[in-house]
Structure formats: C-alpha cells, structure tokens
Amino acid sequence: MPDAIPVPPADAIHLDAISKRYGRTLALDGVSFAVREQELFALLGPNGAGKTTLLHILSSILRPDSGTALIDGIDVAKNPRAARQRLGIVFQEPSLDDRLTVRENLELHGLVFGVPRKLRRQRIEEMLALVELSDWAAKPVRTLSSGMKRRLEIARALIHDSGILLLDEPTVGLDAQTRDRIWAYLRRLRAERDITVLVTTHYIEEVESCDRVCIIDGGKVLALDTPEALKQAHGQALVRVTPLTEADSAAISAQYADRLTGRQGAELTLVSDDAFIAAFLAEFGTRISALKVEVPSLETVFLSLTGRELRDQAAGAREQTFAFGKRGGEHTR
C-alpha cells in the first residue's frame, strides 16, 4: 500500500496584491501573503508600516484600492458579512463598554452575533475560565486593569466560535509581565481551540515563538519566514560599544562609518563579523568603557532589511502609548 500523500494546510487568510492609498500616502503597496490554518502568524513592523490598514481590510472596515483579500476562501469585499462571521477581532483601541459588567460585555457580543442563548451562556463560562476572569464576571469593566481588559477583549472575540483571531497591537501600553501573559493566552488558545491567530506588533521579542513572521515596512512585505530562517537569511552580528569620550566616539564613528548602524546616547552600534572584534579592540580597546556582542536576531534582521533598528521605533511608540490609545493605532495607517 503506497504511503499517503500529506495534505498541505489550507489558507485561513489569503492576500493578493493588496494596495491602499490615503491621498498621496501609499499605505499598502501590493501586499501578498497567506496565513495557514491553525498558524500563529505575526506582522512585525513600526508604527505607520501599514499593519492596521491590513487588519481593517481583512475585517471589512476598509476596502482596498486593488487586490483581493480572502477569509477561509471568502472574498471580504464581495461578502463581508460571511467573512466577519469567521473572525474574532481585537483592535488596538479599547472597545469594551466600561459601564457594563464583564459578563454583560460577553453577553452583548453573543447577542449581536446571533449565538443561541444556551450555547452563548456555555461559551461565556468557557471563555471566562480560559482568560481567568471568572471571579470578575459580575464586576464593572471600569474596575479592571489594562491587562484584564485585553484578556476580556480576547474572550469576547471568541464568543461566536470564530476560527480566526485578528489582534492589532494587543500588548501596547502593557507592562512586560502582562505582555508575556497575553502571549501565553494566545499560544494556549491556538493549542486548545485549533484557531488561526494573526497578530500585529512592533515588539520584536514577542514574535520569537510565532510559527512565521512577516516583516512589513512602508506598506511593503520585506521578508516572510520562520524566525530562525529569517535570522539565518538576513541576521547580522552586532557590537555595541560605549566610548570613553566624545572624541573617542567621533574617532570610532569615522573609522567604521561603513559599519555604524545607530547611536543611542553614548552607545554606538556596529555591524560585526568573525575578524572585526579583534581588530577593533586592537585599535580602540583602551578608548571604550563597555562592549556588548549580539548574535544575529530578529532585531538585526529588521536592521539588515530596512537600514534602521526597530527598537528605536518601538521606544517612540511606548512613549506615545496613551496618545495612540486615544487615536486608535497607527497615525498614518
């Protein structure tokens, strides 16, 4: 008996040559990629890269100027209602009703999506348990912390048994511990409910455990693969040095202008290779106070592809957390 031929996973999301313009700004420029069923897929890029615009197109809030977006094979532009039934969505801007209780928010969402009463009550209890909010079910949403509200939004997105979960910057404004917890819930959801998860973020460290990562900047897809494959193909080793004086900094910058990729405060970042460190220390070892070596990472992948570090973009975004929360995401989309 011949061996069975493995069946490739189907596409839960399929984008083909999606473009979108806001006046003179080209927000998306021929974006194409597919997200497989039951995949944990990340869109990684700075604010303004086009991530939010893509999610708004997938959720039928926006229509693309050109191209096709499919959800489970359904054309979003032609049949938005059917496509939305398959989606659970968590937008960057909070959308809970603070005047209602935790349970009432879930109940209202189930009613809107036409979930039968008995099944609705069952799913509410399941989701409350999954995101560890059962003890808070009768509390007004306004009494919850930011992290708890995010968990509630994730629970709400799954009340109607959606098979695809879209999350736009779900951890913006949260502390590191809460961010880790949100990602733990996402991995648990994918494992327990066999759902597809598409999440956008500008935090590089968050996507290391994703199945695949799509790096997007300026409305274009720059690379798409597993985290390890991206590092092997595009990663660079970096050396971060802190010169003793401004004169030392100027000398190092001039000597290694072709390797210099950035500066934060007194610290200089240089592209490294096997022979670089020994040569650098021989010349400048007595003129620095610190040296740190970084192996190829997703951060250096982004640096290699764009010529700048995403950490600079992320730092700016963190400083503007509350402003972005009020406005609802990427300023230029």
Side-chain angles (χ1 to χ4, degrees), residues 270-286:
L270 306 166
V271 174
S272 181
D273 55 40
D274 292 341
F276 172 72
I277 295 178
F280 176 83
L281 289 175
E283 186 168 3
F284 290 102
T286 60

Side-chain angles (χ1 to χ4, degrees), residues 84-87 108-116 156 159-160:
R84 283 198 300 267
Q85 285 291 128
R86 288 161 168 77
L87 293 175
L108 178 60
H109 188 80
L111 283 169
V112 169
F113 275 85
V115 181
R156 185 184 61 177
I159 287 296
H160 60 287

Side-chain angles (χ1 to χ4, degrees), residues 256-274:
Y256 295 105
D258 58 332
R259 291 180 178 270
L260 184 64
T261 65
R263 175 172 182 164
Q264 287 196 336
E267 184 183 78
L268 302 177
T269 302
L270 306 166
V271 174
S272 181
D273 55 40
D274 292 341

Side-chain angles (χ1 to χ4, degrees), residues 47 202 264 310-321 324:
N47 289 291
H202 59 256
Q264 287 196 336
L310 187 55
R311 64 158 57 185
D312 299 331
Q313 305 292 324
R318 279 195 292 271
E319 291 165 4
Q320 300 178 55
T321 291
F324 277 119

Side-chain angles (χ1 to χ4, degrees), residues 165-299:
L165 185 59
L166 306 180
L167 303 104
D168 189 15
E169 298 276 5
T171 61
V172 163
L174 303 180
D175 60 78
Q177 183 178 8
T178 305
R179 285 166 51 195
D180 289 343
R181 197 172 185 183
I182 293 295
W183 276 92
Y185 284 123
L186 296 181
R187 289 189 288 270
R188 182 178 169 189
L189 279 170
R190 197 271 299 266
E192 293 185 2
R193 294 176 62 90
D194 295 329
I195 64 173
T196 303
V197 180
L198 170 60
V199 59
T200 76
T201 183
H202 59 256
Y203 296 127
I204 284 181
E205 67 275 14
E206 292 187 340
V207 304
E208 289 282 357
S209 62
C210 290
D211 297 318
R212 288 191 300 155
V213 178
C214 177
I215 296 178
I216 183 171
D217 190 29
K220 293 183 178 182
V221 172
L222 304 183
L224 194 166
D225 214 322
T226 65
E228 285 306 313
L230 288 172
K231 293 175 196 176
Q232 291 178 14
H234 305 286
Q236 299 173 315
L238 296 179
V239 173
R240 301 187 188 276
V241 299
T242 305
L244 288 172
T245 67
E246 278 297 324
D248 296 329
S249 179
I252 294 171
S253 298
Q255 177 71 15
Y256 295 105
D258 58 332
R259 291 180 178 270
L260 184 64
T261 65
R263 175 172 182 164
Q264 287 196 336
E267 184 183 78
L268 302 177
T269 302
L270 306 166
V271 174
S272 181
D273 55 40
D274 292 341
F276 172 72
I277 295 178
F280 176 83
L281 289 175
E283 186 168 3
F284 290 102
T286 60
R287 301 174 68 178
I288 62 173
S289 61
L291 181 147
K292 296 180 289 185
V293 180
E294 295 185 4
V295 299
S297 63
L298 286 177
E299 183 175 338

